[in-house]
Amino acid sequence: MNLQEFIRKNENMGIISKYEDAERVLKEFQECFEGKKAIVYGAGILGKSVVKILEYLKIEVIFLLDRNFELQSKEYAVPVYAPEYLLEFEETSDILMLMAVNEQIAEEVKRQYENWGYQGNFTFLPEKIQNVIKSAICTRKLLNDEFDPLSCFECGIVDNGCEVFYQYGKKCIGKEELIETAKIEGIGIIMGQVCTLNCMHCNESLPYFKKTGTGFEKKEDILSGLKLLTDACGVIGHIELVGGEPFLHPELADILTEILKLNIGVVQIFTNGTVVPKDTVCEILSNKRIIVYISNYDRVLSDTFRENRDRMQEKFSRYGVIYELGRSKSWMDFASFDEIDETDEQWRIQYESCGMNKCHRLYKGHLFGCPHHYGGTVRGYIDVEDSVDIHKYSAAELAEVLRHFREEPCKACKRCKMPFQAPFVEDAIQLGEMENE
């Protein structure tokens, strides 16, 4: 079986959560590369995904190609070159060339190489095929007790509905057999709109809430919303505590204590690393259902903030907190809310191709499709009626609403450049001076 045959056979598999399917897929994919090495076009999110797959299966990657090679080169142990580099490279029969970008960019790249007179042949590896293979790897690891939830921070499937991580979450609370009445794999909980940084391209639009922001969310409001959602769903695989900076919330310890009583598998906390949690909070963070991701914004941090991040890591190690210090990396800028002129068909393709389309947010009792949807609503670009007011419903009624939640693109998609037009930018570019320094 060659790689094209593998793709045709498995492109409709979806996320794999059965061990037999996982082993078959991994065996077939690995056989496609027997005696071969790989070159990968695309060093962004999808390229990183492909490289991780190949590394796990011990398939050698010679180098990557990317238009933004200077920004992306810090992400990899192998070289990242400009696309033109391939024109000088002599191909051999033991090399497979993979294209790991979205479909629209893939067509642009092919045309560019044709214009240059390049005759080589790339195999386009669609994101859905990547997800099949990644989920097969994770299924193998989960069933062999080798699953590492920290790896999920760098994987786009979790926020987009990963069945394997969902099953891991159920396993964490010891309720693998618990049946969901409506499935919401994960939700980001807005803890507030207070932060120590002022990132121009913040995913949550926080620097632009100066007039409309409301500080911290009340403990009672956060917990009542989560209680209603878990009653409606039966179980939620994971939640993310985001903001703002979650470790600034004055009632975080109480909120975490109550969350751990609910049928929620994993609690992920995203922090910029500048605020060192109190001992009482760290004691709760040591619960194995809680994972902390520290964003690495070293490029913009003051000496004081770097010292705080070092103290945070030392403290987490002492308390046995599961945490990950991310790598400094470029962002995709989707903070613009300019209206985009596109047909309904283009609108749907954009929505279905977007890696954020199930990255839900809960804020003030309203459930939003993604961070852009939430930010656009709070900033006044989108009517709040386009979200779900969860407190309007009983648990049974809400379960029915959630079964059909976000089957269609929302109005925020008409004002979003993801996933095809959003440009890459440097991480954590600040608007003026950093606050609270």
Side-chain angles (χ1 to χ4, degrees), residues 323-336:
Y323 78 92
E324 172 86 354
L325 175 62
R327 291 179 293 176
S328 179
K329 56 186 178 181
S330 56
W331 290 2
M332 290 187 76
D333 175 22
F334 58 97
S336 169

Side-chain angles (χ1 to χ4, degrees), residues 232-243:
C233 294
V235 61
I236 295 175
H238 80 281
I239 63 170
E240 302 170 354
L241 303 188
V242 294

Side-chain angles (χ1 to χ4, degrees), residues 6 70 90 104 189 230 267 271 304 354 435:
F6 171 86
E70 292 177 327
E90 185 177 346
Q104 179 175 323
I189 311 302
T230 51
V267 181
T271 175
T304 299
C354 183
E435 300 174 355

Side-chain angles (χ1 to χ4, degrees), residues 144-266:
N144 290 337
D145 291 325
E146 299 170 347
F147 185 80
D148 178 11
L150 291 178
S151 66
C152 299
F153 282 117
E154 299 294 335
C155 175
I157 311 180
V158 168
D159 285 330
N160 215 26
C162 179
E163 180 65 25
V164 184
F165 191 73
Y166 180 68
Q167 295 301 329
Y168 172 76
K170 292 173 70 173
K171 187 174 183 179
C172 282
I173 52 177
K175 296 185 177 181
E176 295 97 317
E177 303 305 317
L178 188 61
I179 304 298
E180 67 279 354
T181 50
K183 180 170 283 189
I184 294 288
E185 291 89 348
I187 303 172
I189 311 302
I190 303 296
M191 301 290 287
Q193 296 165 344
V194 183
C195 193
T196 53
L197 298 181
N198 207 22
C199 299
M200 180 186 299
H201 305 292
C202 175
N203 283 0
E204 315 293 343
S205 291
L206 189 136
Y208 306 99
F209 291 157
K210 297 303 180 186
K211 294 182 180 180
T212 57
T214 56
F216 299 108
E217 284 296 279
K218 294 179 180 179
K219 174 182 70 174
E220 294 77 13
D221 292 341
I222 292 172
L223 294 174
S224 65
L226 278 174
K227 177 68 165 57
L228 179 56
L229 284 167
T230 51
D231 286 347
C233 294
V235 61
I236 295 175
H238 80 281
I239 63 170
E240 302 170 354
L241 303 188
V242 294
E245 170 52 52
F247 286 136
L248 286 173
H249 200 293
E251 297 181 291
L252 181 60
D254 291 341
I255 291 171
L256 287 171
T257 299
E258 295 303 313
I259 285 175
L260 291 171
K261 297 176 183 178
L262 300 174
N263 286 336
I264 294 171
V266 177

Side-chain angles (χ1 to χ4, degrees), residues 85-132:
Y85 179 81
L86 198 56
L87 304 180
E88 305 170 10
F89 181 79
E90 185 177 346
E91 284 184 56
T92 56
S93 59
D94 66 338
I95 293 175
L96 275 178
M97 298 198 303
L98 307 177
M99 192 171 291
V101 292
N102 66 56
E103 194 165 357
Q104 179 175 323
I105 293 177
E107 291 302 316
E108 294 174 6
V109 171
K110 288 178 183 177
R111 285 194 296 270
Q112 182 66 76
Y113 277 117
E114 288 172 1
N115 292 337
W116 286 338
Y118 178 70
Q119 302 298 318
N121 186 31
F122 282 98
T123 298
F124 175 57
L125 205 61
E127 185 177 6
K128 58 184 178 181
I129 278 291
Q130 295 181 40
N131 291 345
V132 168

